[in-house]
Amino acid sequence: MRPGTVCLAARQDAQRSLAAVKEMAKTRGEAYLKFAKRYLSQRHFRNAKAAAVEGKRLCEGPFYLAVQEQLDGVLRDIEVAEAVTSQPVPPQGPSFSRPNPAHMSRN
C-alpha cells in the first residue's frame, strides 16, 4: 500500500469512528434524559438530578446542544419542584375534638 492510500483509509476510519462516538453519546444523553424525566415524574428528585447531570456529562460538546438544553430544562424543573416541596405547609386553625366520654373521670 502506498502512504497516501494508508492515510486516506485511516482518515475514513477515524471519520466513521467519530460518527459512531457522536451517535453513542447522543443516544446515551437521550437515555439519561428519559431517566431524569421519569424520576422527576415520580418525585425522586435526587435520582432525577443525578440522571440529568450524568446525561449532560456523557453528551458534552457542540454536537448535542438539543439534548443538553433539554437536560438543563429538566434540572430547572427539578429545582422548582424541590423548592415547592420544601416550603412549609401553612398551619391550619386550631383543631378541637369532642371529649371522649370513656376517658372522663367519674366523680
Side-chain angles (χ1 to χ4, degrees):
M1 256 193 205
R2 294 181 302 169
T5 307
V6 171
C7 284
L8 179 61
R11 189 174 304 129
Q12 288 173 343
D13 286 344
Q15 287 174 344
R16 280 190 223 117
S17 296
L18 181 61
V21 168
K22 286 180 184 180
E23 185 60 32
M24 188 170 41
K26 180 182 175 200
T27 302
R28 286 182 178 170
E30 289 171 344
Y32 276 86
L33 175 63
K34 287 180 187 176
F35 294 147
K37 286 181 176 181
R38 185 178 311 136
Y39 283 129
L40 179 60
S41 71
Q42 297 171 351
R43 303 184 61 78
H44 295 269
F45 302 129
R46 188 175 184 183
N47 292 340
K49 190 178 291 185
V53 168
E54 183 65 10
K56 282 189 64 151
R57 186 188 70 77
L58 289 172
C59 66
E60 286 180 330
F63 308 108
Y64 321 106
L65 292 178
V67 176
Q68 290 175 7
E69 288 174 359
Q70 290 176 325
L71 288 164
D72 286 336
V74 170
L75 286 169
R76 282 190 298 276
D77 293 344
I78 294 167
E79 288 176 12
V80 169
E82 285 178 329
V84 169
T85 302
S86 67
Q87 289 180 351
V89 176
Q92 296 183 8
S95 163
F96 296 105
S97 60
R98 293 186 300 178
N100 187 344
H103 294 286
M104 297 175 72
S105 63
R106 296 180 193 195
N107 289 337

